[in-house]
Every structure is written in structure tokens, then in C-alpha cells.
Amino acid sequence: MKDFFAEFEAEEMEERARVVADAAVRQSLRHSLEILTIGRTHPAAVEEEASKVEHALLLQLEDAVLPSGESGGGGRGANAQAPLSVDALDVQNQIMQQAQWWMNVMALPAPAILRPYVVVCAIRDSVYQLSFELASQLAESARLWIEMIDDLLRPVRRTPVDKCCASCGYYYYVVADFDGLAVKKQTMQAVWDKDSERIDRIECKYCGAVWRRHEIWELADSTDPAPLDAASVAPAC
């Protein structure tokens, strides 16, 4: 009888862990796709200032490729007046290649206009149909797209922070490179101010949580990394 209850309890715990992991992956995926297609809000550096709203990263990428506004809305990003960028075009083509692959996997009809923004919007609106495994893989791809665009448009100095995220609780996350290889990275990263050479904020690259300079003290009691096992690695692994 004890074995029966022990087995039942183990199955219950496994099911709860599966539900939690599934929710975490889908939240991360939704967060990444919204950054790419809707935008993101940067908390103010000090409490008195208003938060800054940033336009969709894929639209900013279009502005970097066609700064004259030919993409249908120039002037959105900080690089809107820059000359035509071959590097931006290369990033756009790589994202488009992967996004079209996901359109095929999800059996979505091709949009009338083949732009990364339009394609990724169609993917965003249909992710509910994905299995846990496919949602995990797409989350990895979406995080890689964000990193590629951020590194292109506003390269900044980043250093890893040896802490688990105080929001999602994870220490590592995974992106899939264009060779299909899994690359493991720390979730918590310090972003340095270019002018003052001081830490401007700490970000979790997995769940998107941000601690501005005046909030960093809140992380003093954050969890130190556990030994590298399933508990310390984001579910998309």
C-alpha cells in the first residue's frame, strides 16, 4: 500500500512539474515574441521619471535596413537615420529564414507580404497550437532573434551575474544557434552605462525582469546558483 501511495505522489509531483515548466516556457515565448512584434517598456532609471516604451524590435530592424522609411514607417528606432546597413540586412535575412521554417512547421499560410515582422506576427498569433517541445524550440529561436537585433542596434557591455533570477528562479537559459546547436547562457546580466562606466541595470535574459541601478540592492538576498541540474536550468533546455 505504501508503494502505491508513493508512486501516486511521485506521479502527482511529476505532473505538477510538467505544468509549471510548460507555463514558464510559454510565458517566455510570449514575452520574446511581444518584444519582437509589439515592443517593450524600460523601467525608469529613477522613480520620478516615466518608463520608456520601445517599438517592436523587428520594426526597428527594418528601419536600420531602410532608413528612408520605405519599409512603411521609418523613424521608429534610434538608428532610423543611419545609412543602409549590410549587417542589418544580413540579420534580417537570417531571422526571415528561420521564421519561414517555423511557418512551415506550424502549417501557416504564407502572408501576402513576406517581411520578418509580418511572418513573426503570424507565428505569435498561432503559438497556442504548439506542443511543449516545439514551444521550447521556438522560445530559443525568438530569444536568439532578440539578441541578434539588440547586438546590432545598440551594442552594450554586458557581464554575467552569478545569481539565479529573483523573478523566474533560473540560472541558465538556452538559445539555438543557426547550426541547430544549443548554447547555454546565464540568465542574469549586468548592463553597463557607456558614459559613466557604472552598472545601469541588471536584466534577466530569460523572463525579461529588470532591476534599475536604484533597485539592485533588492538582489542582495537573491538565490545563489544551485549545482547545474534541471532545477537551475530554464525549462527551454
Side-chain angles (χ1 to χ4, degrees), residues 199-202 211-220:
I199 293 176
D200 175 65
R201 63 190 181 275
I202 291 179
W211 293 265
R212 307 300 300 191
R213 183 173 178 81
H214 67 278
E215 300 170 323
I216 292 177
W217 64 271
E218 297 175 9
L219 300 174

Side-chain angles (χ1 to χ4, degrees), residues 171-232:
Y171 184 56
Y172 281 101
Y173 70 101
V174 168
V175 296
D177 66 15
F178 282 94
D179 294 322
L181 301 176
V183 180
K184 199 171 293 182
K185 300 186 177 184
Q186 284 182 231
T187 56
M188 297 285 277
Q189 296 183 14
V191 181
W192 295 74
D193 183 84
K194 290 182 180 179
D195 300 322
S196 64
E197 283 299 307
R198 299 189 305 175
I199 293 176
D200 175 65
R201 63 190 181 275
I202 291 179
E203 300 177 343
C204 174
K205 299 296 288 182
Y206 183 71
C207 73
V210 177
W211 293 265
R212 307 300 300 191
R213 183 173 178 81
H214 67 278
E215 300 170 323
I216 292 177
W217 64 271
E218 297 175 9
L219 300 174
D221 297 326
S222 181
T223 310
D224 288 325
L228 187 54
D229 55 21
S232 62

Side-chain angles (χ1 to χ4, degrees), residues 13-30:
M13 292 180 63
E14 184 177 339
E15 176 63 17
R16 285 197 295 269
R18 186 195 65 79
V19 170
V20 170
D22 184 82
V25 163
R26 294 183 189 280
Q27 179 181 359
S28 175
L29 173 58
R30 183 169 57 252

Side-chain angles (χ1 to χ4, degrees), residues 8 17 131 161 183 216:
F8 177 77
S131 66
V161 177
V183 180
I216 292 177

Side-chain angles (χ1 to χ4, degrees), residues 13-237:
M13 292 180 63
E14 184 177 339
E15 176 63 17
R16 285 197 295 269
R18 186 195 65 79
V19 170
V20 170
D22 184 82
V25 163
R26 294 183 189 280
Q27 179 181 359
S28 175
L29 173 58
R30 183 169 57 252
H31 169 73
S32 295
L33 292 176
E34 287 178 354
I35 289 175
L36 289 163
T37 60
I38 298 174
R40 58 184 166 189
T41 300
H42 294 283
V46 294
E47 295 181 6
E48 292 76 14
E49 293 181 0
S51 298
K52 297 178 181 179
V53 178
E54 182 183 355
H55 290 286
L57 279 186
L58 286 171
L59 293 180
Q60 293 186 52
L61 180 61
E62 288 185 356
D63 286 338
V65 175
L66 297 172
S68 63
E70 296 173 39
S71 62
R76 285 179 293 259
N79 294 282
Q81 301 304 317
L84 181 67
S85 170
V86 176
D87 290 337
L89 183 61
D90 181 58
V91 168
Q92 189 179 60
N93 288 340
Q94 290 184 65
I95 293 174
M96 186 64 176
Q97 182 181 4
Q98 270 207 345
Q100 286 183 291
W101 184 86
W102 276 106
M103 290 279 289
N104 293 333
V105 168
M106 299 169 69
L108 299 177
I113 302 175
L114 280 178
R115 292 163 48 200
Y117 173 76
V118 175
V119 173
V120 176
C121 281
I123 292 172
R124 180 201 65 203
D125 294 339
S126 303
V127 292
Y128 63 88
Q129 65 174 275
L130 293 176
S131 66
F132 172 75
E133 290 75 16
L134 286 176
S136 298
Q137 295 174 33
L138 179 55
E140 294 173 12
S141 296
R143 286 194 294 272
L144 177 63
W145 300 342
I146 291 172
E147 289 189 4
M148 292 171 67
I149 299 173
D150 274 339
D151 289 345
L152 173 75
L153 298 183
R154 49 195 149 266
V156 293
R157 178 186 170 197
R158 295 177 181 270
T159 53
V161 177
D162 200 29
K163 292 278 188 180
C164 294
C165 175
S167 178
C168 67
Y170 293 113
Y171 184 56
Y172 281 101
Y173 70 101
V174 168
V175 296
D177 66 15
F178 282 94
D179 294 322
L181 301 176
V183 180
K184 199 171 293 182
K185 300 186 177 184
Q186 284 182 231
T187 56
M188 297 285 277
Q189 296 183 14
V191 181
W192 295 74
D193 183 84
K194 290 182 180 179
D195 300 322
S196 64
E197 283 299 307
R198 299 189 305 175
I199 293 176
D200 175 65
R201 63 190 181 275
I202 291 179
E203 300 177 343
C204 174
K205 299 296 288 182
Y206 183 71
C207 73
V210 177
W211 293 265
R212 307 300 300 191
R213 183 173 178 81
H214 67 278
E215 300 170 323
I216 292 177
W217 64 271
E218 297 175 9
L219 300 174
D221 297 326
S222 181
T223 310
D224 288 325
L228 187 54
D229 55 21
S232 62
V233 180
C237 295

